[in-house]
Amino acid sequence: MNNIKNIILQNSINAKVFSLGKEVYIVGGYLRDVLLGKKAKDIDYIVRGDIKEFALELLVQERKTKVQNLLDNATIVELKKEQMIRIVLKDGMTLDFTELKGQLEDNLRERDFTMNALAWSPKTGISDPTHGIKDIERKLINAISMDNFRNDPLRLLRVYRFVSELGWKANSKTRRIVSQLTSNIKKSAPERITLEFFKLLNSKDYQNALEMALDDGLLVSFISSSRKRLSKNISGLPHIESQMRKLPPIYKNSLDKPFSQELTYNGLLRLEQMLSGSILSENRLRLSRSILERLKITHKLATCNLSPRATRRGEQLTTASKMFEAFFEAKDALLDILILTGNIKLLKHAERFKKIWKKSFLTAEEIMNITGLKSGVELGKLIYRLKKMEFENKLKTKKEAVKWLLKKE
């Protein structure tokens, strides 16, 4: 607490913001992370007066300096719905500016949780009207009021996002508020729900957060599955984690990388599991095309060709032929399917399939020259058959592939 001023002002951007001589405060998660001794990234400010004018002045003043320009190539964005000005730095860091209206403490009391209802400036020090510092020390997520959640229902989901992200507990009062207002989440835009849900799935304590959200009745308010089905999906998550731990390092290294819409690859696998059995078009989520296509494939195959139950019974994938057909249908979701169905043991076969599919004995041009076929459906069928025979070890060399084609003719 004593060195918070030094920590904040060591950041040259903060130092520049406060040097402009305006009434401005740092608020929210950045301040919370500083108090926790964590490395904070994005910064939220509240400013008395015209926020657009303030942000532009900050950029102008920074570009006049002769030292390294941290705001060089920064982009300024006006978010009208949020009544916010955002500066996006070239490294992805964001600076958000909202206007301070009325008294500072009144503004803080309108926020979501006590841990986020903090403000700091060099002149005033810390303002903490809702005793958020005590809750931070206790690692407690504590809602300020039910009305604040009614005013912005997305805060209902943020409870569990913070449970996942911070590993903290939500107190009983906060969970009661959620239980009483669950249907209000439908008033939030699908894009906002999606972003919060993806942050939850990306974070370390996601399973505990999902279990709490299910118990409190929130998940069924935006996912088109029954409580029973969602409970079953959550109970299957540890199995997915165990499969991911068995992956070779080259695959493990990609798990935390972004896939789409800020969702990481391991977050995508969790999403595929959570939405299993749901009607994708009825979930209150706004999904990118790449995520939606993955979900369609995994929903189809995770209960079909590659189900663990089927493979244990010996009904599927007992032959190279069945394996090839399943791998072909899985396309880019092949690794997802192996993980979701507990078939990591087939990874070597999957890697071989991908190599053959990328480059087999004969190119399309060579096949056309041998057969006289032109590009089209018949050529596609022939390419598929040749690749399949290679995968099945029925063709072991290019010479054998050519001989088979000539014989077929």
Side-chain angles (χ1 to χ4, degrees):
M1 285 291 294
N2 293 330
N3 64 345
I4 187 171
K5 180 176 181 179
N6 293 334
I7 294 172
I8 291 175
L9 294 182
Q10 277 174 1
N11 181 307
S12 61
I13 293 176
N14 288 333
K16 180 62 67 176
V17 165
F18 289 114
S19 73
L20 295 180
K22 309 288 184 178
E23 184 182 354
V24 55
Y25 304 87
I26 287 180
V27 293
Y30 180 90
L31 193 52
R32 182 190 68 239
D33 288 344
V34 168
L35 290 170
L36 289 168
K38 294 171 62 177
K39 185 177 180 180
K41 188 179 179 183
D42 300 333
I43 313 175
D44 293 331
Y45 303 94
I46 52 175
V47 182
R48 183 81 68 184
D50 189 315
I51 53 175
K52 188 173 184 179
E53 182 181 297
F54 182 89
L56 289 171
E57 183 180 352
L58 175 65
L59 290 176
V60 169
Q61 290 297 322
E62 177 70 3
R63 286 166 182 168
K64 285 181 178 179
T65 63
K66 295 181 180 180
V67 297
Q68 183 183 9
N69 191 350
L70 296 174
L71 299 181
D72 192 28
N73 297 320
T75 303
I76 187 165
V77 181
E78 185 174 0
L79 303 174
K80 292 184 178 180
K81 284 187 178 180
E82 291 83 1
Q83 297 182 315
M84 177 189 297
I85 295 294
R86 171 169 293 171
I87 295 177
V88 183
L89 278 59
K90 58 185 177 182
D91 64 355
M93 178 181 179
T94 61
L95 313 176
D96 287 343
F97 300 87
T98 54
E99 185 179 349
L100 173 59
K101 299 176 181 179
Q103 298 301 309
L104 173 63
E105 291 197 353
D106 292 338
N107 177 285
L108 296 177
R109 288 192 178 95
E110 292 174 355
R111 294 176 176 267
D112 48 11
F113 309 106
T114 58
M115 64 181 184
N116 292 332
L118 305 171
W120 183 90
S121 79
K123 293 181 179 179
T124 64
I126 285 189
S127 298
D128 180 18
T130 64
H131 309 293
I133 292 176
K134 286 185 179 179
D135 286 333
I136 290 172
E137 291 171 349
R138 293 184 292 179
K139 297 184 177 180
L140 194 66
I141 298 166
N142 183 7
I144 293 175
S145 77
M146 183 176 285
D147 283 342
N148 290 1
F149 277 60
R150 285 196 183 99
N151 293 336
D152 184 0
L154 188 69
R155 291 168 173 174
L156 299 166
L157 183 53
R158 294 191 84 204
V159 172
Y160 309 100
R161 190 259 280 189
F162 280 122
V163 168
S164 180
E165 196 173 89
L166 300 173
W168 294 6
K169 291 182 179 180
N171 65 5
S172 56
K173 179 194 78 175
T174 301
R175 296 185 66 179
R176 279 197 304 272
I177 289 174
V178 175
S179 297
Q180 293 174 44
L181 298 177
T182 51
S183 62
N184 286 32
I185 192 71
K186 295 175 183 177
K187 297 178 182 179
S188 296
E191 294 84 357
R192 298 184 71 209
I193 294 174
T194 303
L195 181 60
E196 286 296 324
F197 192 49
F198 283 5
K199 286 180 180 179
L200 186 160
L201 294 175
N202 282 344
S203 300
K204 59 181 180 179
D205 209 12
Y206 72 93
Q207 184 163 355
N208 183 38
L210 290 170
E211 288 172 350
M212 290 172 59
L214 179 65
D215 289 343
D216 297 340
L218 187 65
L219 287 185
V220 293
S221 295
F222 65 91
I223 298 178
S224 64
S225 290
S226 66
R227 179 188 174 91
K228 183 177 180 181
R229 181 57 195 250
L230 286 169
S231 179
K232 181 180 178 182
N233 290 350
I234 292 172
S235 66
L237 288 167
H239 175 71
I240 292 173
E241 296 296 328
S242 71
Q243 290 292 298
M244 287 193 282
R245 286 194 292 271
K246 295 176 183 177
L247 288 171
I250 191 171
Y251 290 100
K252 281 184 180 177
N253 294 338
S254 66
L255 292 175
D256 290 322
K257 292 182 179 179
F259 178 80
S260 178
Q261 292 180 274
E262 299 184 34
L263 185 68
T264 60
Y265 183 57
N266 54 19
L268 173 66
L269 292 165
R270 295 160 188 168
L271 179 70
E272 290 166 346
Q273 172 69 11
M274 283 304 300
L275 297 188
S276 177
S278 70
I279 302 171
L280 295 178
S281 61
E282 294 185 8
N283 295 322
R284 194 166 176 77
L285 298 169
R286 186 77 70 203
L287 304 174
S288 68
R289 181 178 296 179
S290 56
I291 291 177
L292 191 57
E293 288 305 310
R294 282 292 181 100
L295 287 168
K296 288 178 179 177
I297 294 171
T298 55
H299 281 202
K300 179 181 179 181
L301 294 183
T303 56
C304 185
N305 307 59
L306 289 168
S307 70
R309 184 180 175 190
T311 54
R312 284 198 297 270
R313 290 201 311 261
E315 295 177 7
Q316 301 288 345
L317 302 186
T318 54
T319 66
S321 175
K322 291 289 186 182
M323 205 180 296
F324 183 91
E325 291 167 7
F327 291 169
F328 173 76
E329 196 167 0
K331 298 182 175 67
D332 291 339
L334 179 48
L335 181 61
D336 305 34
I337 296 295
L338 295 182
I339 293 171
L340 291 168
T341 61
N343 278 294
I344 288 298
K345 59 188 178 183
L346 300 180
L347 188 56
K348 288 185 179 179
H349 297 288
E351 290 174 338
R352 180 168 173 265
F353 164 83
K354 287 191 287 186
K355 287 180 181 178
I356 290 172
W357 194 258
K358 185 177 180 180
K359 185 179 181 181
S360 54
F361 293 138
L362 296 170
T363 66
E365 290 77 11
E366 287 173 326
I367 295 170
M368 286 190 286
N369 289 335
I370 294 169
T371 63
L373 286 172
K374 294 183 178 180
S375 181
V377 175
E378 290 304 315
L379 177 64
K381 288 180 179 179
L382 195 54
I383 292 172
Y384 176 89
R385 190 171 177 186
L386 281 165
K387 291 179 184 292
K388 185 177 181 184
M389 290 175 71
E390 182 179 344
F391 184 80
E392 295 169 342
N393 283 318
K394 291 179 180 177
L395 296 175
K396 297 182 180 180
T397 65
K398 181 175 182 177
K399 186 176 180 180
E400 288 181 2
V402 173
K403 185 177 179 180
W404 180 85
L405 276 178
L406 291 171
K407 186 178 178 181
K408 186 177 184 301
E409 288 302 307

